Amino acid sequence: MEILDASGLEKIGEGRYREVYCDGNLCFKFPKKYLLKRYCGYELKYPLQRYSQYKFGIRDINVYELEIFRHVTSTLDSPLLKQIVSLSDIQETTRGQALVGELIMNSDGSVARSLRSYKGATNRKFWETLREICFSLENKGFSYFGLSDENVVVREPSEGVEPVVVDLKRIGRRMLPFQPLLLFRGVRQSKIQRALERLYEEYGRVISS
């Protein structure tokens, strides 16, 4: 496999586990080497690969997310697939391995912003679509526990706005191993509904429909 020169990539964000870069219309997710956790005022560093292996049974977060994406796209109804970020492959680069996917763009060519950066809210259709995404995933056996203002992007097509889910790694009970009640479908659905309601309370009332 050809090794990509990552020196020209532009950093556009980071989360707890990964740093995100872009080039053109592609997005590159690089796992961090260490996970920082704070206890009693002290900051501790854990090797990320060892931490994810121990806590989730996942050796490589990028590989796991790519596998989840492929399972989702093979089972989810096609009209909703455009509301989920498209992932293509794992790419070797001069910075290490990266998960490559699409960079979500608006119709005017600008990069779509996260719900947090967008500062809010949209119309009723936006929230109905986001709820449909989450519960369609749940109904197909993919419980999505990653719903947050950073993992939902607000895309502006030619008219209106629409949500796009851009992070799929927190799918499934293995991402929440110490919550055994998630074995029950009703508990999972309630957890997802509460996450949707929290987002709506914070971001869904800025702009009326």
Side-chain angles (χ1 to χ4, degrees):
M1 178 184 294
E2 182 180 354
I3 297 178
L4 175 72
D5 181 3
S7 61
L9 300 182
E10 176 186 358
K11 186 175 181 179
I12 57 174
E14 66 178 283
R16 188 180 186 191
Y17 300 104
R18 295 180 291 194
E19 295 179 328
V20 183
Y21 291 74
C22 73
D23 181 33
N25 62 350
L26 294 178
C27 176
F28 299 82
K29 298 180 180 181
F30 291 92
K32 294 180 176 179
K33 290 184 178 180
Y34 296 97
L35 176 69
L36 299 181
K37 295 180 71 70
R38 291 177 175 81
Y39 294 103
C40 303
Y42 294 94
E43 188 173 80
L44 304 177
K45 294 170 63 175
Y46 293 89
L48 177 59
Q49 190 176 71
R50 187 182 305 170
Y51 177 88
S52 63
Q53 177 75 52
Y54 170 76
K55 186 170 183 179
F56 309 120
I58 298 171
R59 180 172 176 80
D60 189 314
I61 288 176
N62 278 351
V63 170
Y64 176 74
E65 184 174 9
L66 182 59
E67 290 174 349
I68 287 291
F69 170 76
R70 288 172 174 169
H71 286 309
V72 165
T73 54
S74 68
T75 58
L76 193 65
D77 294 335
S78 57
L80 284 177
L81 290 179
K82 67 184 183 72
Q83 312 303 142
I84 297 174
V85 67
S86 178
L87 304 175
S88 56
D89 209 345
I90 304 293
Q91 172 71 53
E92 290 284 353
T93 81
T94 52
R95 288 181 56 89
Q97 287 189 338
L99 175 58
V100 183
E102 67 172 321
L103 182 64
I104 306 301
M105 309 290 288
N106 296 317
S107 60
D108 64 1
S110 62
V111 177
R113 292 179 288 162
S114 69
L115 186 57
R116 178 187 296 178
S117 175
Y118 198 79
K119 298 187 184 304
T122 55
N123 52 36
R124 181 185 298 274
K125 179 63 175 176
F126 178 95
W127 296 98
E128 289 175 348
T129 301
L130 185 57
R131 186 182 191 282
E132 186 179 2
I133 295 168
C134 293
F135 281 96
S136 292
L137 287 170
E138 169 64 24
N139 290 337
K140 294 294 186 179
F142 302 103
S143 301
Y144 183 52
F145 301 125
L147 196 63
S148 75
D149 55 6
E150 285 294 308
N151 290 342
V152 175
V153 160
V154 182
R155 179 165 58 193
E156 298 176 338
S158 56
E159 293 184 5
V161 290
E162 59 185 13
V164 181
V165 172
V166 295
D167 192 316
L168 295 175
K169 69 179 180 297
R170 296 189 69 84
I171 280 185
R173 287 190 304 105
R174 69 187 300 176
M175 298 305 294
L176 297 169
F178 304 115
Q179 298 187 33
L181 290 179
L182 292 176
L183 281 168
F184 301 100
R185 185 180 184 186
V187 176
R188 297 195 302 271
Q189 290 178 333
S190 295
K191 186 177 184 67
I192 293 166
Q193 181 63 34
R194 289 195 301 272
L196 284 164
E197 290 171 355
R198 284 194 296 269
L199 277 187
Y200 180 76
E201 285 298 317
E202 186 166 0
Y203 296 103
R205 302 189 180 190
V206 178
I207 303 173
S208 61
S209 58

